[in-house]
Amino acid sequence: MSSKPKIRRRTLVVGVALGTLAGLAWRESDPPAPEQNAHFEHPQETLLAFIATLFGHEITAPEREDLSDRLAPLLAAPEFGPNCRALAAHLEVLTQRIHGHEFQSCTRTQRESVVRQVMQIDYRSLLARLLDHLSPMQHTLHRIRWSAVEQLMWMYRNSSMPWRRRGYARWPGVAGDWREMLVPGRGYP
């Protein structure tokens, strides 16, 4: 007889906690879709600025061309494109919250602040995974951090940019002018 009241109390407490959690999660709203955000026009440019800020350097014209060529198929892919566009829209929303106009035209300090907020999105904890199923906003944030950011980081690491940053003219192992010496430069950022 004494176990039934305990079970009822536990069920009641768990039910109230889950109800409160679900209520709080549903109160949040999704980030605006690109069509709803007046400042969101060029997701590719926003994502290139994100990559540059994430890895701590400005992108030169040849690097921009290389990354743009790699980013275009990623944005067109049905499994990654929506997540990358959601990341770009979220970057623009966060930029507006700090009174910026567009992410790519912000100061370096403002961009770093926005990128820090994106990188601090919790997507591994049990609570984050539970909220992913309860809240549309948390689901979007989970997709942004787990899928889009990781994909962009992978794309950068597998481009020629990190090698150029180290001081190489091209990837080691790629044939070139035999008179050119490959001399390593500074470390990888």
Side-chain angles (χ1 to χ4, degrees), residues 113-125:
S113 171
V114 169
V115 168
R116 195 174 309 113
Q117 289 178 39
V118 169
M119 295 307 287
Q120 290 176 349
I121 294 172
D122 179 23
Y123 67 101
R124 293 184 180 182
S125 71

Side-chain angles (χ1 to χ4, degrees), residues 100-112:
H101 180 64
E102 287 183 329
F103 179 74
Q104 60 200 15
S105 64
C106 285
T107 65
R108 184 179 184 96
T109 308
Q110 289 175 321
R111 281 187 286 156
E112 287 173 356

Side-chain angles (χ1 to χ4, degrees), residues 18 21-22 25-26 129-136 138:
L18 286 176
L21 186 62
W26 282 110
R129 286 183 279 162
L130 176 67
L131 287 175
D132 177 27
H133 297 290
L134 296 176
S135 165
Q138 290 299 322

Side-chain angles (χ1 to χ4, degrees), residues 43-185:
Q44 191 163 1
E45 294 300 318
T46 302
L47 293 174
L48 289 174
F50 172 76
I51 291 169
T53 307
L54 182 64
F55 288 100
H57 56 77
E58 294 302 318
I59 298 176
T60 63
E63 293 170 342
R64 178 175 296 280
E65 186 178 322
D66 180 33
L67 281 180
S68 293
D69 291 344
R70 292 172 182 271
L71 191 57
L74 187 69
L75 286 170
E79 62 272 5
F80 299 118
N83 298 340
C84 290
R85 282 189 282 285
L87 169 62
H90 189 63
L91 290 169
E92 297 297 341
V93 169
L94 291 176
T95 302
Q96 290 173 6
R97 287 185 187 160
I98 61 169
H99 308 292
H101 180 64
E102 287 183 329
F103 179 74
Q104 60 200 15
S105 64
C106 285
T107 65
R108 184 179 184 96
T109 308
Q110 289 175 321
R111 281 187 286 156
E112 287 173 356
S113 171
V114 169
V115 168
R116 195 174 309 113
Q117 289 178 39
V118 169
M119 295 307 287
Q120 290 176 349
I121 294 172
D122 179 23
Y123 67 101
R124 293 184 180 182
S125 71
L126 180 62
L127 179 62
R129 286 183 279 162
L130 176 67
L131 287 175
D132 177 27
H133 297 290
L134 296 176
S135 165
M137 175 62 176
Q138 290 299 322
H139 179 68
T140 301
L141 292 176
H142 187 266
R143 287 184 314 140
I144 285 171
R145 181 61 183 91
W146 176 76
S147 177
V149 172
E150 296 299 321
Q151 207 55 46
L152 292 174
M153 289 169 59
W154 180 88
M155 183 189 75
Y156 172 83
R157 285 188 208 114
N158 289 292
S159 71
S160 60
M161 286 179 61
W163 292 107
R164 286 192 196 120
R165 294 288 166 194
R166 290 180 182 152
Y168 294 101
R170 62 186 174 281
W171 291 18
V174 175
D177 186 0
W178 64 272
R179 296 166 291 184
E180 179 183 308
M181 292 184 61
L182 295 178
V183 180

